């Protein structure tokens, strides 16, 4: 049975961080060693990021809080709230992004009603609360209280793939199923000043955002699908368990992102693709060089560089990933869906177009997906960024122009 992605919408919080200005704030913190200060400048400048979004509105020079918890704009000091404080903000602010992106995804399917939704799958690794985001979506959107709900928590940057794979399985089991998949991450809640290289790298890369999709096997001639979900695979590399991890500390979640990760990906990326592409039986194995589009999770610039070199991809094939990184940073599980949306917004060519997508996470886990971009999915690429941005402030303080995909 063929299963389709009917809609894909994204959202980001309003506060925009300018990478160069954020770098200067982090580099000016007391307690940094000379080496730590050099690492801050190097990591921020080499990240290939211009802007990121954060749900922490006090991360602006203009914001004045009577009792700041993350950033004191009067003194320029980054503060260190407890995990409890960070998680309370997650429960409030992540819920907004879950709802906003989900509502947009549902609005993009006018032929479906709220009662058509049979399953809800939510994804996040940057906070916990219960009743969780799956429950909040049912209540806020007015879904059937009997809808089946699932939450994938703490899996990391690759978690959109298990969510889509589960959605596909539900639809294959029930041809009338309609699954709402929503990823929302508030990575910026866990940044902190430190001399630790992994912590500095995380502060230079991570950001906040959400993406939502409607998945179903139901066909609507007047509301065409965007993607055909062909196949998914999971591979664990033989090394790298200690190189990428996500732990809970007393003052937020602690990222382990070793500088050897790009080399592990470089060594094992072709092997990780083999299970995915060899399953395309209609083509008796699909050579990766025959794939037009590549939706690579931009875990960092060096990871994209290694993937591009090893797979011999063109600069054009890496534009969706690099542009997502440049405008939004690494939003963990939501990021690869931003990359897919960028590809969907490109003008169509003759015939259907294959997309190979992959993301990397703790383990080291490589999740891969093979999709077909349908001919009716494309449209002219506009200047609108692939995200829903309400008016807000930047660090240190100009208003971001509202935009919406």
């Amino acid at each position: 049975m063929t299963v389709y992605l009917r809609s894909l919408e994204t959202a980001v919080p309003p506060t925009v961080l300018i990478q160069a200005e954020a770098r200067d704030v982090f580099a000016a913190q007391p307690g940094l060693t000379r080496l730590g200060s050099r690492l801050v400048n190097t990591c921020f400048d080499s990240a290939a990021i211009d802007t990121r979004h954060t749900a922490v509105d006090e991360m602006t020079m203009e914001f004045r809080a009577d009792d700041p918890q993350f950033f004191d704009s009067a003194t320029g000091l980054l503060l260190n709230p407890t995990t409890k404080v960070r998680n309370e903000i997650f429960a409030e602010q992540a819920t907004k992004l879950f709802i906003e992106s989900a509502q947009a995804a549902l609005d993009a399917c006018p032929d479906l009603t709220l009662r058509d939704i049979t399953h809800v799958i939510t994804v996040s690794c940057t906070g916990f609360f219960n009743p969780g985001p799956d429950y909040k979506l049912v209540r806020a959107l007015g879904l059937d209280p009997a809808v089946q709900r699932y939450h994938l928590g703490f899996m990391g940057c690759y978690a959109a793939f298990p969510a889509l794979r589960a959605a596909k399985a539900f639809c294959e089991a029930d041809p009338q199923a309609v699954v709402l998949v929503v990823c929302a991450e508030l990575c910026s809640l866990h940044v902190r000043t430190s001399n630790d290289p992994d912590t500095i790298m995380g502060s230079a890369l991570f950001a906040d955002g959400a993406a939502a999709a409607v998945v179903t096997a139901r066909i609507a001639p007047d509301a065409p699908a965007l993607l055909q979900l062909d196949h998914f695979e999971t591979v664990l590399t033989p090394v790298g368990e200690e190189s990428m991890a996500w732990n809970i500390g007393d003052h937020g979640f602690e990222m382990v992102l070793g500088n050897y990760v790009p080399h592990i990906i470089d060594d094992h990326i072709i092997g990780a693709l083999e299970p995915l592409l060899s399953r395309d039986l209609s083509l008796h194995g699909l050579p990766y060089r025959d794939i037009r589009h590549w939706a690579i999770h931009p875990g960092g610039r060096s990871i994209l560089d290694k993937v591009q070199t090893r797979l011999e991809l063109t600069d054009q094939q890496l534009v969706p990933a690099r542009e997502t990184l440049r405008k939004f940073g690494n939003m963990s599980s939501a990021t690869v869906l931003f990359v897919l949306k960028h590809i969907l917004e490109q003008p169509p060519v003759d015939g259907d177009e294959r997309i190979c997508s992959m993301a990397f996470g703790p383990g080291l886990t490589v999740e891969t997906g093979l999709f077909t971009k349908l001919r009716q999915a494309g449209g002219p690429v506009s200047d609108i960024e692939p995200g829903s941005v309400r008016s807000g402030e930047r660090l240190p303080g100009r208003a971001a122009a509202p935009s919406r995909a």
Side-chain angles (χ1 to χ4, degrees):
M1 177 178 295
T2 303
V3 179
Y4 303 98
L5 187 119
R6 288 285 308 280
S7 66
L8 178 58
E9 300 294 332
T10 58
V12 292
T15 301
V16 182
L17 301 179
I18 307 301
Q19 184 78 346
E21 296 168 355
R23 174 204 62 207
D24 293 344
V25 168
F26 275 83
Q29 297 306 301
L32 280 182
T33 63
R34 186 174 300 177
L35 175 59
S37 181
R38 287 202 302 267
L39 284 173
V40 167
N41 284 281
T42 299
C43 290
F44 276 74
D45 289 345
S46 63
I49 295 171
D50 291 345
T51 56
R52 293 178 284 164
H53 292 257
T54 176
V56 184
D57 54 5
E58 67 182 54
M59 293 292 288
T60 64
M61 296 301 293
E62 284 73 23
F63 191 91
R64 292 293 185 267
D66 294 334
D67 184 22
Q69 297 175 310
F70 286 82
F71 179 61
D72 186 347
S73 58
T75 63
L77 291 178
L78 289 164
L79 307 177
N80 196 20
T82 64
T83 301
K84 180 177 186 295
V85 168
R86 298 174 197 259
N87 198 63
E88 287 173 346
I89 295 176
F90 174 86
E92 176 186 356
Q93 297 298 326
T95 297
K96 296 178 181 179
L97 285 181
F98 272 111
I99 293 171
E100 180 181 348
S101 57
Q103 184 65 67
L106 293 175
D107 290 345
C109 299
D111 60 302
L112 298 176
T113 70
L114 295 177
R115 293 288 166 166
D116 286 318
I117 304 301
T118 58
H119 301 72
V120 171
I121 303 174
T122 54
V123 178
S124 190
C125 70
T126 49
F128 302 94
F129 61 95
N130 202 4
D134 52 314
Y135 172 93
K136 296 291 187 181
L137 283 176
V138 171
R139 292 302 193 195
L141 301 177
L143 302 180
D144 187 337
V147 67
Q148 295 185 39
R149 310 187 333 257
Y150 303 87
H151 181 71
L152 302 183
F154 219 62
M155 296 186 77
C157 294
Y158 62 80
F161 288 96
L164 291 175
R165 183 169 57 238
K168 184 174 186 288
F170 292 148
C171 295
E172 289 171 337
D174 176 6
Q176 294 304 308
V178 179
V179 186
L180 176 63
V181 177
V182 192
C183 303
E185 305 283 10
L186 302 189
C187 306
S188 72
L189 288 177
H190 303 291
V191 301
R192 63 180 65 79
T193 181
S194 174
N195 287 297
D196 176 70
D198 289 348
T199 303
I200 293 172
M201 181 61 70
S203 299
L205 285 176
F206 285 102
D208 304 346
V214 173
V215 176
T216 184
R218 293 165 58 171
I219 298 174
D222 56 341
L226 304 177
L227 286 177
Q228 178 178 305
L229 304 184
D230 297 322
H231 190 62
F232 296 93
E233 286 286 350
T234 301
V235 171
L236 295 179
T237 61
V239 295
E241 181 177 348
E242 305 300 325
S243 297
M244 187 182 294
W246 191 223
N247 303 312
I248 299 177
D250 293 334
H251 294 273
F253 299 171
E254 299 169 352
M255 166 58 69
V256 177
L257 188 61
N259 58 14
Y260 196 63
V261 168
H263 301 284
I264 297 173
I265 293 173
D266 184 35
D267 289 341
H268 299 285
I269 189 65
I270 292 179
L273 281 172
E274 287 179 358
L276 180 79
L277 301 183
S278 65
R279 286 292 296 271
D280 195 323
L281 301 181
S282 64
L283 297 178
H284 305 288
L286 180 63
Y288 66 80
R289 291 180 178 85
D290 292 346
I291 297 174
R292 181 186 298 271
H293 300 291
W294 290 82
I296 311 299
H297 168 68
R301 191 210 67 196
S302 58
I303 289 176
L304 293 180
D305 290 346
K306 290 292 186 182
V307 171
Q308 179 174 4
T309 299
R310 177 62 66 180
L311 298 182
E312 300 177 343
L313 303 180
T314 66
D315 290 344
Q316 185 62 34
Q317 288 174 306
L318 265 290
V319 165
R322 294 194 190 277
E323 281 296 287
T324 298
L325 181 65
R326 183 178 69 83
K327 295 178 180 179
F328 299 103
N330 184 341
M331 300 166 286
S332 193
S333 67
T335 320
V336 74
L337 298 180
F338 277 66
V339 179
L340 277 171
K341 185 171 176 62
H342 190 289
I343 292 172
L344 291 174
E345 290 174 341
Q346 296 178 13
V349 298
D350 292 336
D352 295 335
E353 307 167 52
R354 282 299 178 94
I355 303 172
C356 186
S357 186
M358 64 181 68
F360 319 98
L364 181 66
T365 301
V366 182
E367 285 277 353
T368 56
L370 189 63
F371 312 113
T372 301
K373 177 183 175 182
L374 303 178
R375 281 173 289 181
Q376 60 266 35
V381 177
S382 69
D383 292 333
I384 298 177
E385 295 182 351
S388 169
V389 186
R390 299 174 298 276
S391 60
E393 294 175 300
R394 303 192 283 188
L395 175 69
R398 295 181 296 275
S403 66
R404 180 155 191 144

